[in-house]
Amino acid sequence: MDGIKEYILSVAAAAILCAVVRRLLEKKGTAGSVGKLLTGIFMTVTVLSPLTGLTVGPMDEIMDDYRMIAQEAVAQGEKSTANALRQSISQQMEAYIIEKALALGADIQVEIRLSEDLYPTPIGVRLSGQIAPYAKSRLQRIIEEDLGVGEEDQIWT
């Protein structure tokens, strides 16, 4: 309660002081204009001075919570993007190998193993199905040359 009383008294005193200064400089031309400006600034600072001490609550804690939520959202978004990229690469490579196998007269199933890099690359292939020896040999070369998966990383079951 004392704070409010002190605030009201300081605003009243500032208003009286500003009124006296303005009355003294009322017809002084440029000095009067500068006086009006300075008394206006003084009054504004006096009225708004208590606002500088206000706090809106535990802002650091609130901001930390928001930062944590934002970091979790970013991590989840990155994970979803990485999974979608991995799935897309796997599907495209599987389709490519199956298409080449069909052109060679083979009906196979393909499973791609990708690296854990930011941009996944093929590191292995598991193939199964009916395929003639010549077609198998030709398909192994295609996989090695076009996709970069060596014959040692191609597992046939």
Side-chain angles (χ1 to χ4, degrees), residues 4 13 15 22-23 40 46 49 59 69 79 88 92 96 100 106 108 113 116 118 124 130 139 141 156:
I4 293 173
R22 280 190 170 196
R23 185 72 175 156
T46 303
S49 64
M59 285 303 283
I69 291 168
K79 185 177 179 180
S88 175
Q92 289 177 17
Y96 180 79
K100 294 297 181 180
I108 62 169
R113 258 189 18 245
E116 295 297 323
L118 181 60
Q130 300 296 321
L139 190 57
R141 279 197 308 275
W156 293 83

Side-chain angles (χ1 to χ4, degrees), residues 21 25-38:
V21 170
L25 298 175
E26 188 174 36
K27 296 181 180 172
K28 301 284 186 199
T30 306
S33 297
V34 171
K36 284 182 181 181
L37 175 67
L38 292 177

Side-chain angles (χ1 to χ4, degrees), residues 55-116:
T55 57
V56 184
M59 285 303 283
D60 288 338
E61 292 176 17
I62 293 169
M63 293 309 293
D64 286 343
D65 289 345
Y66 283 129
R67 278 188 206 99
M68 190 180 312
I69 291 168
Q71 288 171 347
E72 289 172 4
V74 167
Q76 186 176 5
E78 288 174 347
K79 185 177 179 180
S80 295
T81 301
N83 287 339
L85 179 63
R86 293 180 67 77
Q87 186 176 8
S88 175
I89 291 171
S90 290
Q91 288 174 348
Q92 289 177 17
M93 292 182 75
E94 289 172 6
Y96 180 79
I97 293 171
I98 290 171
E99 180 182 311
K100 294 297 181 180
L102 288 173
L104 293 170
D107 183 24
I108 62 169
Q109 290 79 41
V110 180
E111 181 183 325
I112 304 292
R113 258 189 18 245
L114 298 173
S115 67
E116 295 297 323

